[in-house]
Amino acid sequence: MKLTQDKYPHFEANQVLTSSHLNQVFDYMDEQERLTRANLIGIGIVCGLNFDVETSGSTRTIHLNRGVGVGSAGYLLNEPDNIALVSYREYLLPNEIEYPAFMFEDGGVMKQYPLWEMFPAGEPNTQPLGNPSNFLNDKVFILFLELKLEGLRNCSPNNCNDQGEEVTATLRHLLIRIVDLEKIIAIANNLEGDLTVSDLGESLLARLNLPDIKLQRWDAPNTYPLNTLNVLKGFHHIFTSDKISEKTGNALSAAYLAFRPLIETAYSENPFNEFALKFGFLDSTTLTVNQLKFIQYYYGFFEDLLNAYDEFRWKGVKLMCDCSPSEGLFPRHLMLGPINPPSVAKPGIFRSHFMPSPAVSNCEDKIRELQMLFVRLVEMMNKFTDSPPLPPSGQTGNFGVQIRVTPDKLADVGLSAKAIPYYYLQNGPPHLFKLWNYEKTSRGRANQNLSYRSDEYNPAAPAFVTNPLRYDLETYNFLRIEGHLGTNYQSALYRILSLKRQYRLPVDVIALRTGTFDEKLIEDIDRQSCHFTDLESQYDRQIGEIIGFLGMNLRYFYDLFYPPAKGLLTSPTPSKLPWFAQWDPDFRVKPNTLGAYFEVALWSAFYNQPYYNPDSPVNSVLQFIGDSPQQYKELIIIYIIYYIARFPEVLSSNLADINLTALNEREDHLTRVAEAIEIKREHLFIESQKQESVVSWEDLDDRLEDIVYGDYSDSIRALYKEYKIRLIEVNKKLYLGHYLQSNPGIQHKAGVPMGGTFILVYHGERADGSNLPPQTGNFTIRGLVMAGHNDPMPGAVVLVKGTNTGTSTNASGNFELRTNQLPLTLRVNMLGFSSFEKLITKEGFYVLNLHGDNGMGNDENTTDFFNGEVIADFYLPYLCCSDCPPTQFVLPVIPPSLRVEIGCTDEDGTAVVILTPLGGTPPYNIKVDEGSYIEMMETITLSPGKYKLTLQDGQGLESAPQNLIIPEMLMLSEPGFDCSGDNNQYVAVIEISGGTPPYTPNRGRILENQKTFYDE
C-alpha cells in the first residue's frame, strides 16, 4: 500500500475552517491507520472466517465462524459473531463510493460483476440458498466492506438545513462466480508490488501440493535362514518396491519450481536434473557388490534427504510475506474460499491467506534460512559418497578410531537438530557443516554441529564437538555408531565395547551372524554361564558325591596294615594327593600302612608319571592280577589305590570342560581292576595258619562291589547332554534368523537409542577356513592395511614393516605379519580394492602383490564378503535379553601378555630380567619353564641359559609362553682409542670374546663407565 495523503492542514487562530480542511485531516489520519495495518502488520485473513455448508433436503445453510482480516488497502474486516446464512438476493455496489475491483468494462461502459448478498433467517425479499439447487456450485464466498455516502439533512415544514454527509461502513457477505473472481485475480496480476495475490496463491498451492514421501522400515525377508543377501536386499527392496529414488528426484525438482522465485539467483537451472543419473540405479533390480555393501547407508542418505526436504518445504509454506504490498490486491474484500472446493481445480487461490509484514514476521531472515536449506539439499546430494574416507589416524595404524560414536537425536525433529552422518564429505566450498543448521551458522557457530567428521572442520571445532562423549549427554537420546561397515566384527565389537566402558554409555552391544545354524559348528561360550547356572550347581553336587565316594574308599585302603611299609614314615603325615587332602584335610597317612607304602615308595613311580592304562601290552595290570601268587595280594590292592587316586584328574571344575571319553575310560579301568581282584579271591584269600591276611575277604568284597557298581558318570552324562542342548539354543541366538523370532522389532537408524541394544550383523555363511592349508608367498591384497600398531585388537592383522601405502595398483613390498591371534584369516583392505583373505598359521615375512579390482560383481554372489565382515547394523529400543545379563554377548576376555626386557649382567654372570604384564587382570603370577606359578615380581634374576616364561592373571588366564635366552657373560678387551675422528672425538675400538655374534649393545640401565654387551 502506497502513501497518497502526504499533507494535512495546520490551523491558525481565527482561521476560517472549511470542509476541505476537516476532510483532509480525516483522510490523512485514516490512511496512516490503514498503512499501519497493511505495511506493518499484514494483509489477508488473520484468524477465523472459516465456513461450512449444511445440507438438509433442499435447504442449504452456510455457517460462518467469527474472525478478522485486513484488506490490502488496510481496511479492517471484522466479523464478531458466528452466523448462519440461509438466503440471498442480488447486490448492487453503492454509486457514491466506487469499488473498481468489482467493476469491468463492457463496450466502453463500466459494469459490475454479478454479486449476491447472503442473509440470516428472517430477511424479507430473499431466496433460499438451495433455490435453485445448483446455485452455490460455482460461487465463492467473499466478505466486502461497503462504504456508503449518505447526506445528513434535518428537514421540517419550515426549514431544511444542509447538515453535511456521512460514510457508513457495512460488512457484507457476498457470493461471486468463480469465473468472475478469476478475472479479478488476473487484473490484480498487473498491479504494482513485489508479489500479486495470484503469485502468492499459486506459490502456496505448489508448496502445499508437494508430495509426501516416506521410507518404509527395513523388514526382515519372510525366509529362514537369513543370509547376507537377504539382509541387504531387505534395504534394496524398499527402493525397488516404491521407486523411492525416482519419487525423491521428482519431489526435489518440484520443490525447486515451487520456490524458484526465491532461489533462482543461486540456481538458474534445476540442480536436481541429474538426480536420476546419480541414484536411479537404486530402483533397479541389480546392484554392484560395492553398492550392495553400502545399501544401508544409501537408505540412511535418502532418509536424511527426505527429512531435509520436509524441513525445507514446510518452512517455505509458512513464508508468506511482502514488503509494502499493492493496495489493489483486495482493497476492501477478503476471499473466504469456494462453496464447493472439490469442484475447483485450485481452491487455494480463492482464499486470502494472511501475509504478515516483515516487521512482525522476520521475513528477510526466513527467506535467507529457506535459501540456505535449499543449498543444503543440493550439497547433501553432491557431498554424499559410498566410499567415505577413514580418519587420517585410521589410515596410519590405529584401526579402531575409524569407528566413532556421536550423540544424536532420535525424534520427530528437523534434520538441522541432528548430527551429520559420516557418508557426507566436508570438502568445499560450500562446506556442508556450514549449511546444516541455520541458527548455528547465523550465530557464527557452524563448527559446533556434531559430526563424524568434526575433526575436519575449518575453523577447528571445540573439544565438546570433537569429543562429545566426554560432555553432558542429557539433551541427546541417541548414539550414532559409524565406521564399522566392512570391518571384522570382532574388531568392531572390541572398539565399540571399549568406548562403552570408557564413556559409561547406557547401551548394550551384540553381534549376530547371517547364514544357517549348524550344530556341528557350535561354540562353547563361557560367557553364556547364566544359561547353565543350575546345571553347574548339579554338576558340582555330582562331582562332590563322586569325590566323596572315592575318598571314603581310598581312606579305607590307606589305613590297611602293611608290614613292608615299616620305617617309611615315623609319624602320621598329610596326604600328597591334592584332591584327597582337600576333601579330608584332617586325614593323616599312618606309618606301616598301605597308604604310607603308596605315597612314600610308589609316589614318583606312579603318580608323577603319565597315566597307566591297565590294558597296556607291556606289564599289563590286569594280567599281573590274574597271574600273581598269593603273597602279592596286598600289593594287588595298591592298584585299586592307584586308579582311585588318578580318577579325579578327569573331573573338570566346570561342566563345559568335562571330557566324557576320559571319564568313561577311568571308570572302566577302575571297575575292571576291581572285577579282576574279585575273580582272584579264592586263590588270594585262603586263610592259613602260617600267614594271616591283613584284610578279611568279607570287608574287601564289600568295597570292591561298591567300586564295581558305583555310579560315576551316568548322571554327569545326563547333565552334559542337557548342557549341549542348551548350548545349541544359545548358539542359535547368535544367528540373525533365530534372533528375529524372539525380537522382531529391530530397526535401522545407524546407531542405538539410549538404553537400547546395538546389533552388529556380520557375514557368517562361509567356512571358517580351518581346513585351508597354511599360505605363504604371494598374496593379492584388497582393503584396509593396519600398519605400525604394536598392540592389535583380537582378530586384527597388523603389517609392521614396509613403506607401500597401497594407493597404486602395482605396488608391492615386504611386510612382517604380527598378530596376537594365530591362526587367523589374513584380511587386508586398501583404498580402491575389495576385501581379500587367506588363512595364516605363523608369523613371518610375506610378499604382498597388489592387483586392482573394479569391485563389480553379481549381487547373487557372496564371495566378495569375507567371513566375519560387518554387513549391517540395527537396534532394539531396549536392553536384550531378559533371561540373561547383557554381558552374554560380549567378547571373551583377552588373555594377558608379557613384555620382557633383559637388564644388565651382574658380576656373577646372572642377568636381571624386567617383567611388564600387558592386559589381563591383576594380581599376576609367573612360571619359569614347567615349574609352579609364583607371585610375579617386577624383576627376576636368571643365570645364562634358555627359558620359557608364562604369565597368569588373576582370572587364571595364561599368556602364550615366551622364549627367553640369557647369554653367557661376554668379555670385553680394554678399548683402544683412535683419535682420527671428526671434531677430535675419540673412537673406542673394542674387541669382544665369547658369546655368539652378532652383538648388540645393551642400551638399557647402563651404569656410568660400564660397557655391557650381549650376544644374539
Side-chain angles (χ1 to χ4, degrees), residues 207-328:
R207 301 173 198 178
L208 289 173
N209 286 344
L210 288 174
D212 299 316
I213 305 175
K214 299 294 182 181
L215 282 177
Q216 299 178 23
R217 291 171 55 197
W218 177 87
D219 187 24
N222 187 21
T223 179
Y224 179 82
L226 279 179
N227 58 35
T228 295
L229 289 178
N230 294 146
V231 174
L232 298 181
K233 285 183 176 180
F235 288 104
H236 188 205
H237 178 73
I238 295 172
F239 291 93
T240 57
S241 61
D242 282 351
K243 300 296 180 184
I244 291 296
S245 178
E246 178 183 344
K247 288 182 178 179
T248 302
N250 293 339
L252 294 175
S253 295
Y256 169 76
L257 296 177
F259 292 92
R260 185 170 183 171
L262 298 175
I263 54 182
E264 62 181 348
T265 301
Y267 299 99
S268 58
E269 296 184 0
N270 181 8
F272 301 110
N273 282 333
E274 297 185 355
F275 187 86
L277 186 63
K278 285 187 174 183
F279 304 105
F281 67 87
L282 292 168
D283 292 344
S284 66
T285 57
T286 59
L287 298 177
T288 67
V289 171
N290 286 342
Q291 291 167 346
L292 189 65
K293 285 188 174 185
F294 209 73
I295 189 66
Q296 79 162 30
Y297 286 134
Y298 278 109
Y299 176 88
F301 165 64
F302 271 80
E303 192 172 40
D304 296 343
L305 207 59
L306 293 176
N307 196 341
Y309 160 76
D310 283 340
E311 186 177 2
F312 167 75
R313 65 173 174 140
W314 293 125
K315 282 186 180 291
V317 165
K318 298 177 181 178
L319 185 62
M320 292 286 289
C321 59
D322 187 15
C323 181
S324 186
S326 173
E327 181 180 349

Side-chain angles (χ1 to χ4, degrees), residues 544-681:
E545 292 178 359
I546 292 175
I547 293 293
F549 172 77
L550 296 173
M552 286 187 295
N553 282 284
L554 187 62
R555 185 165 55 188
Y556 167 79
F557 290 118
Y558 260 36
D559 284 342
L560 294 177
F561 176 70
Y562 189 51
K566 185 177 181 179
L568 296 179
L569 285 179
T570 60
S571 61
T573 306
S575 174
K576 295 180 180 180
L577 290 178
W579 70 265
F580 187 46
Q582 183 178 4
W583 175 74
D584 189 356
D586 297 328
F587 179 80
R588 295 295 182 266
V589 180
K590 302 175 181 62
N592 306 326
T593 60
L594 280 173
Y597 188 79
F598 177 77
E599 294 210 356
V600 177
L602 303 180
W603 173 266
S604 60
F606 281 168
Y607 196 76
N608 284 340
Q609 298 300 319
Y611 177 77
Y612 193 78
N613 190 323
D615 292 319
S616 174
V618 180
N619 298 325
S620 170
V621 171
L622 296 174
Q623 183 178 355
F624 175 76
I625 294 174
D627 299 338
S628 60
Q630 194 267 350
Q631 61 267 27
Y632 291 121
K633 60 183 177 183
E634 282 81 13
L635 184 59
I636 288 175
I637 298 176
I638 289 182
Y639 284 111
I640 290 291
I641 295 178
Y642 173 79
Y643 286 103
I644 290 177
R646 299 298 298 266
F647 194 103
E649 294 174 353
V650 297
L651 301 176
S652 60
S653 59
N654 55 73
L655 179 60
D657 296 332
I658 191 68
N659 186 333
L660 290 180
T661 301
L663 178 63
N664 293 335
E665 181 184 72
R666 296 292 172 96
E667 179 182 2
D668 177 66
H669 292 169
L670 178 58
T671 57
R672 287 171 63 202
V673 169
E675 287 177 341
I677 296 175
E678 279 191 306
I679 293 173
K680 291 287 292 182
R681 66 182 182 273

Side-chain angles (χ1 to χ4, degrees), residues 858-908:
N858 191 323
D859 66 353
E860 297 296 336
N861 189 353
T862 59
T863 57
D864 283 87
F865 295 90
F866 64 85
N867 191 39
E869 178 179 2
V870 177
I871 63 161
D873 63 73
F874 301 94
Y875 78 84
L876 282 172
Y878 49 83
L879 293 177
C880 180
C881 291
S882 59
D883 57 342
C884 279
T887 53
Q888 61 172 311
F889 288 98
V890 301
L891 288 177
V893 179
I894 300 174
S897 58
L898 181 65
R899 186 171 64 198
V900 178
E901 301 174 73
I902 302 176
C904 297
T905 305
D906 296 332
E907 294 179 357
D908 59 359

Side-chain angles (χ1 to χ4, degrees), residues 816-829:
E816 182 182 357
L817 180 63
R818 295 277 184 84
T819 181
N820 65 349
Q821 185 175 351
L822 283 173
L824 59 78
T825 300
L826 171 63
R827 181 182 61 81
V828 185
N829 292 314

Side-chain angles (χ1 to χ4, degrees), residues 837-858:
E837 59 178 282
K838 285 290 183 181
L839 186 72
I840 299 297
T841 59
K842 61 181 180 179
E843 296 185 3
F845 286 88
Y846 300 90
V847 178
L848 310 179
N849 294 330
L850 307 178
H851 302 286
D853 185 351
N854 60 12
M856 300 295 288
N858 191 323

